[in-house]
Amino acid sequence: MNADLNAPQRAAVRHTQGPLLVLAGAGSGKTRVITEKIVHLIERSGVAARNIYAVTFTNKAAREMNTRIANRLPAERRRGLNISTFHTLGLNLIRKEYAALGLRPGFTVMDADDSLTLIKNLLLQSEFKDVLEPKALQWQISLWKNELLRPEALATHADEEIRAQAALFAQYQQQLAACNALDFDDLIGRPVALLQNDAAVRERWQARVRYLLVDEYQDTNTTQYELVRLLVGKLGAFTAVGDDHQSIYAWRGARPENLQRLASDFPNLSQIKLEQNYRSVNSILDAANHLIAKDTTTHAKRLWSAVGPGEPHRVIVCAHAEEEAERIATEILHHHFRHQTDYRHFAVLFRGNHQARLVEQALRKLNIPYTLTGGQSFFDRAEIKDAMAYLKLLVNPQDDAAFLRVINTPRREIGSATLEKLGQQAQEWRSSLFAAATSVGIASRLDARAHERLTRFTDWLNDIRQRPGDALATVRQLFTEIDYAGYLRTQETSLKAAERRWQNVEEWLEWLEKISREHEDGSMDLPALAQRMTLLGILDQQTREQDSNAVALLTLHAAKGLEFNHVYLAGMEEDTLPHRDCQDEERLAEERRLCFVGITRARLSLTFTLCKRRRRYGEWRDITPSRFLDDIPESLLHWQGVGITQTQAASETQAKAHLAGILAMLKS
């Protein structure tokens, strides 16, 4: 065992008999505990690596755990170890048990865009098309699935809108079944239903999972909780690691009360608290402790650190939002030059993305590099979505979303009238669009030219699917035959832009080959590759890493799990943090936890900024400082700016002088 572990960490690692809840405060080394416990289970407890499962929420966290284990154990000792996200674990279970789930080989996993396209098509054909909004319906279906609610249970609801949504929910599920497809939520929901209803499958998986470790337990939703409960069975051989002080995702289905549920479902549950923080100076932790002490819904913990005492935190009050942005930018530039601090050590955190615009402008004005979380993902690019759709359609011709995306990419002159008649045929026959396109009856609905174009496409797809030889070579040949590079040239105004997009496709193809080579059997078939690539795309938004030397601009929600030497928490105002729509007791408690997350991202310095006045809805309004500042002792805060020690005019003069000094420094 690693000698550097503190006493509570060692206790958590050694506890292997019975269920354990580790309440791990921010920066307390929870990942280290999980990885050391895996080593302990293999080296000291005799549990085979293949029978140990560790689950978390992001690919990044899973990769970090795998890397740490690789540094502690030789390859033969860790062979078969299962470290993944919840959704990857669910996908692996489905791939082994697809027949019991009523799926056929080559099933498709739809990403959010595919799912939304399917919902839009269903709405267009329904009586509710002018009543329900597609994205809102998609969100509602997702929440229902994560609460294990089925359409038939909602069909008799008193609320008319919910009944309408339930009717579309039922049609959506039927269409997924017809397409041999799953959506992202099904990757956990379907395994849960199978384990609940099939005793043989449940016993098989409980025998396989001899020990389960769960990271970020406070973020689990109902389906994830049930998956854990069903996998560990009555023995409860698991360790759940979480921090209810950082439970900030109730709006997307997380259930922090799952921490309390553990004690009732597993009466012999042990608890260990990790309160030593290895990240921050104590002045930052003191502020966080005082803030979170007012949240009576969570387990009491008091963070402390041996890093050092730290300085009081500045609260900079600005005249207006433009001055706030300029002040943040000039402060960062000044610190960068004065202390030779890399830009990657700075972060500006916001309650909402809209707050970033002015700070972006101010940073650009001073030529300060920055990254904004929420930018376009690799998997969000149109050319990558096209590539994914072709791969999915090769594997599963019943995938309607993929069919609709590629049928005219590149253009094949198959018009909307043809697609509408094709949709009618599919609806009447309760089949997929591809099946409808190859049916005998479709010829009577279309004129000869339209039918010939449609048949040419389906015949070509069937031909390329059935060609013998290397599957990956077939995928490459597909893009050559449709001259996708040439198609991109017709879509872009410059040759350089088209070449850049084609390079993205080449990168995607190389990634496909890399994933196949790294598989334990030396290669993966196309169905497995399609499923794996789709899952990577879905999780990509959560796991993108920012390795460049740039200031990080990101929301408080996106900042969770990250750390920076110097943090600016902008817009520390009533109606911003806490948000004006989160004033009831439950949501206000989550806003407090969100502020706690922001504070504990800082390692060395923390600066709060706010405005005296802010323009809202076209009008200037006086602003009140956030109530959360009142919860932090005055001894920990150093107030500066308008109305504190100087007039507004003096403040603006000082800000301009500060900026002028920095610009002069740059020119010298």
Side-chain angles (χ1 to χ4, degrees), residues 402-449:
F403 182 90
L404 288 170
R405 183 169 188 96
V406 306
I407 193 168
N408 272 315
T409 306
R411 183 166 172 76
R412 297 183 175 90
E413 297 184 336
I414 299 173
S416 57
T418 300
L419 293 176
E420 184 178 350
K421 292 173 182 176
L422 187 60
Q424 291 169 353
Q425 177 84 355
Q427 188 175 23
E428 290 175 13
W429 285 59
R430 299 179 69 83
S431 70
S432 69
L433 292 172
F434 186 88
T438 56
S439 66
V440 175
I442 193 62
S444 63
R445 291 180 182 264
L446 304 175
D447 62 48
R449 291 187 63 191

Side-chain angles (χ1 to χ4, degrees), residues 354-505:
H354 67 279
Q355 294 173 258
R357 184 179 59 83
L358 291 175
V359 178
E360 284 189 84
Q361 291 177 359
L363 292 172
R364 285 199 300 267
K365 184 176 180 180
L366 297 179
N367 294 319
I368 298 174
Y370 67 88
T371 58
L372 176 63
T373 297
Q376 189 181 45
S377 157
F378 178 78
F379 286 91
D380 287 338
R381 292 177 168 89
E383 58 272 18
I384 302 305
K385 286 186 172 294
D386 290 345
M388 285 296 301
Y390 270 113
L391 176 59
K392 290 178 182 180
L393 205 58
L394 279 181
V395 170
N396 178 16
Q398 314 308 316
D399 187 332
D400 282 356
F403 182 90
L404 288 170
R405 183 169 188 96
V406 306
I407 193 168
N408 272 315
T409 306
R411 183 166 172 76
R412 297 183 175 90
E413 297 184 336
I414 299 173
S416 57
T418 300
L419 293 176
E420 184 178 350
K421 292 173 182 176
L422 187 60
Q424 291 169 353
Q425 177 84 355
Q427 188 175 23
E428 290 175 13
W429 285 59
R430 299 179 69 83
S431 70
S432 69
L433 292 172
F434 186 88
T438 56
S439 66
V440 175
I442 193 62
S444 63
R445 291 180 182 264
L446 304 175
D447 62 48
R449 291 187 63 191
H451 185 248
E452 188 274 331
R453 290 168 183 154
L454 188 61
T455 301
R456 190 188 312 153
F457 171 69
T458 55
D459 286 350
W460 168 77
L461 189 66
N462 275 327
D463 172 66
I464 203 166
R465 288 180 64 242
Q466 294 166 10
R467 290 178 193 173
D470 180 70
L472 291 171
T474 300
V475 176
R476 280 195 173 274
Q477 182 62 25
L478 181 152
F479 285 99
T480 300
E481 290 185 14
I482 64 175
D483 188 19
Y484 191 76
Y487 163 73
L488 291 176
R489 288 192 291 273
T490 68
Q491 299 298 300
E492 294 293 341
T493 55
S494 74
L495 181 60
K496 193 170 185 179
E499 289 174 347
R500 193 161 50 242
R501 292 182 66 187
W502 175 246
Q503 286 171 1
N504 289 334
V505 177

Side-chain angles (χ1 to χ4, degrees), residues 188-199:
I188 301 175
R190 294 294 296 275
V192 166
L194 180 63
L195 293 171
Q196 285 175 334
N197 300 319
D198 192 320

Side-chain angles (χ1 to χ4, degrees), residues 18 70 123 240:
L123 272 174

Side-chain angles (χ1 to χ4, degrees), residues 9 22 48 128 168 171 224 333 435 441 467 545 564 659 665:
Q9 289 174 332
V22 179
F128 307 116
L168 267 297
Q171 293 178 33
Q224 289 158 345
L333 189 62
R467 290 178 193 173
E545 299 176 45
F564 305 90
L659 176 58
M665 186 192 307

Side-chain angles (χ1 to χ4, degrees), residues 270-319:
S270 299
Q271 290 189 19
I272 295 174
K273 291 183 181 181
L274 304 183
E275 297 174 296
Q276 181 177 357
N277 176 285
Y278 291 89
R279 173 191 300 157
S280 307
V281 294
N282 272 300
S283 60
I284 289 169
L285 301 180
D286 288 345
N289 285 332
H290 280 92
L291 174 73
I292 206 65
K294 297 291 183 71
D295 182 4
T296 58
T297 66
T298 55
H299 294 81
K301 293 186 295 295
R302 186 162 187 85
L303 297 174
W304 63 277
S305 169
V307 174
E311 298 294 327
H313 318 302
R314 290 183 303 156
V315 183
I316 301 177
V317 184
C318 303

